[in-house]
Amino acid sequence: MSKAEFIMRWPELNKQVRCRPIHHNRELFDWFMENLPTKCVQTVTVVAGLQLYMQNVKMPKVECNWIQENQPLEYMADYPVGRAMFFMTAGHVANFTFKAGYATEPMPYPTWAEVVDEDKETFVAVANEIWESVLMDKKTYHVEFFAAED
Amino acid sequence: MKTFQQLKAEIEEQVAASTVKPDQDVLDVFKYSISKGGAGYPQDNQIFTTWFYGAPDCGYVTDWCYFLVELARDESYSMEELCKMARFWFVQPSHFGEYCGLYKQYYFTKEIDKILDTLTREEFVQLLSAFRAYIANVNVWVFQYMPWGVGYAFMRKDGKYFEEALSLCN
Amino acid sequence: MDWKALKKEIEETAERSVEICPEDIMRVFEYEIAPERCGTGGLMLGPWFEGATASRYLIPYYIYNIIKLTKDSDLPVEKIRQQMNLMLPKALGTADLSGMWTVADLTRRTMACVNEMENRDEILELLNALYLYGSSINAWQNYRVKWGLSAAFMIPTRKELVGMAERSSESYI
Amino acid sequence: MLRFKMNWPQLGLAVRCESCGKNEAALKLLMENMPLQTVQGHEMVGGWMIRNRSIYMGKRFFDIPPQDMETESMKDAPVGRISLLFPQGNSTEMLIKYDECEDFRSYVPVANVVAEDLDTLKQVGKLQWKSATRTKEVVIVEFVVED
């Protein structure tokens, strides 16, 4: 069984949360795990809802071999806070968001991971802090991903 | 499910209606700042980010259609491949355009999607060309209403500008 | 044209842009620096709106779709070239004109390379490097646009719209 | 020599246009769609150009492949040049250079505003810029074939 948990960490805030698979797209979760560790600049979505947005995530080891059209999807406005979806992911680059609050975008995406319940409060607090920064003081944040055991 | 002729006629009717009169969706979103699908509400109830990201996703459907029609000239692309590319390329951005309040264009996208697999190559070219003409009209009105004058508060700068600024800093 | 050298250069640029904001973004979106030709009348809102969009479409949307289609539909080399040469030039020109010089230069050189390469896996390697860099540009633009502008464009709620309608007779014209 | 006029009824202005010796087949196709009208816009990145983002070709389908048309960058074009962008099927964009601009992107040149009418063209261009950035007046342009 491949490892079933990764850590999402914000070094500038010295905060981290645990993320685990959900009821579907387990192969997408495993693909992501195979490519860890990795990191990117942390941004937020600015139209659809409060989400942490990871647009330039290098997947160095294993190439993406799936397309979203062939995966089970969930509607962003409906799935719970703390859940992650994949957006324009191809080749060795992943692009995804973690829902952090109220979202109105009614579009379907392949969801694949979720922050564990015990860490959701930390996650939402981090998301709000980064959102405030994007709108006001423009501090730069990064997010790192590594397997739970490392 | 509409026939090719019915849908093309309906699109052409909308082209005519929005050539010199405002497209209703663009009027709602870009002139009245109404958030019809909820876009922008979670982010401080503002409409600017919807304009910034929503308008181009819809507007670039003109280019997606242009590429598809050009590739349709190349017989080595089967109709099946052209339909797959069409779905890969403009359904999702058009759907995001709907979420941003540009309903009519996504209604057409869904109707095109329904009959896409039944179209001949010539019908594929004709239908996407008509649809592109409607999206072009949407673009016209988006650029008409975008508050470009705000740009006068963000003017292009150069070395001379910053040298002068520096001299005022100390 | 040595595609391996170009790939290395793009990867290093992309790697740097995970850590720090790329120069194109700082120049155009933060400091509003642009050459004489960029921005009609000297206004930066056009280059911001159309430049950000063009560079978002140039690499994230177009290269992403070419990579995806190549994998999903076994696109042969000549069709990768055909689609690149069809889809990229217009967006490339607008991104370049809007001050996104590095984006335009790396894309232009990638196109030149692909037009000479024969091995599809190597082409995909090069496109992947470009896709990571383009995704970084997309991320940093999303971050650096002066979203404070949004405060000037609030959404009227249904109730506010009704209220405004009720007061419309007060309007001068 | 192919000739057409651009009219701005609400401004009481008009300019005469004629083929420019390039892409004459494309101009013929465009003119077969006239008379036509559109809401006029302005270029926001490349400089002093009127930009019509939606010229509807509903009568005569535009079917000349791009590789069969000559292109030119706008900075190299004379003031008064009328060029198309992505002409295809029922739609094209149109750029009209009315003053100096450094836009190095390439377009399909099809016509010129005659020299005697360049001042009028520049006047319309400035009014369009004022509309785009300040007044938001909707300016309609009409294209009519001249015999």
Side-chain angles (χ1 to χ4, degrees), chain A residues 44-51 67-69 75 87 102-109 131 135, chain B residues 37-44 46 49-50 53-54 87-88 91-93 95-96 98-100:
Chain A
V44 297
T45 54
V46 293
V47 178
L50 182 51
Q51 300 181 94
I67 61 171
Q68 65 186 43
E69 284 80 359
Y75 284 88
F87 183 39
Y102 166 41
T104 57
E105 182 176 320
M107 293 173 67
Y109 295 98
W131 165 251
L135 251 197
Chain B
Y41 266 116
Q43 266 86 13
D44 296 5
Q46 51 73 42
T49 55
T50 296
Y53 280 108
R87 290 189 172 105
F88 273 12
V91 174
Q92 212 264 347
H95 192 176
F96 188 72
E98 186 213 32
Y99 167 58
C100 293

Side-chain angles (χ1 to χ4, degrees), chain A residues 44-134:
Chain A
V44 297
T45 54
V46 293
V47 178
L50 182 51
Q51 300 181 94
L52 288 183
Y53 201 2
M54 296 78 164
Q55 298 173 270
N56 56 333
V57 190
K58 193 172 181 182
M59 295 280 104
K61 298 169 186 162
V62 180
E63 203 176 356
C64 170
N65 57 8
W66 51 269
I67 61 171
Q68 65 186 43
E69 284 80 359
N70 300 338
Q71 300 302 133
L73 311 172
E74 283 186 289
Y75 284 88
M76 182 183 284
D78 306 334
Y79 58 72
V81 164
R83 188 161 290 182
M85 59 73 139
F86 276 119
F87 183 39
M88 297 188 338
T89 294
H92 289 290
V93 180
N95 176 317
F96 53 90
T97 71
F98 271 81
K99 184 174 176 180
Y102 166 41
T104 57
E105 182 176 320
M107 293 173 67
Y109 295 98
T111 42
W112 59 283
E114 188 161 323
V115 175
V116 302
D117 287 340
E118 305 82 354
D119 296 354
K120 281 191 175 173
E121 199 179 331
T122 302
F123 165 68
V124 170
V126 163
N128 279 287
E129 181 162 353
I130 292 170
W131 165 251
E132 294 298 318
S133 165
V134 167

Side-chain angles (χ1 to χ4, degrees), chain A residues 39-44 55-56 58 63 67 69 88-93 133-134 138-142, chain C residues 15 17-19 60-61 64 67-68 71-72 128 131-132 135-136 138-140 142-145 147-148:
Chain A
K39 65 182 178 185
C40 71
V41 60
Q42 180 65 77
T43 57
V44 297
Q55 298 173 270
N56 56 333
K58 193 172 181 182
E63 203 176 356
I67 61 171
E69 284 80 359
M88 297 188 338
T89 294
H92 289 290
V93 180
S133 165
V134 167
K138 295 276 186 199
K139 285 204 295 280
T140 299
Y141 297 92
H142 293 88
Chain C
E15 209 61 48
S17 62
V18 171
E19 293 298 326
Y61 283 48
Y64 159 72
I67 292 172
K68 180 176 165 181
K71 299 300 288 181
D72 180 74
N128 258 297
Y131 182 46
L132 178 62
S135 301
S136 291
N138 205 16
W140 283 101
N142 167 290
Y143 204 77
R144 277 287 158 189
V145 166
W147 296 123

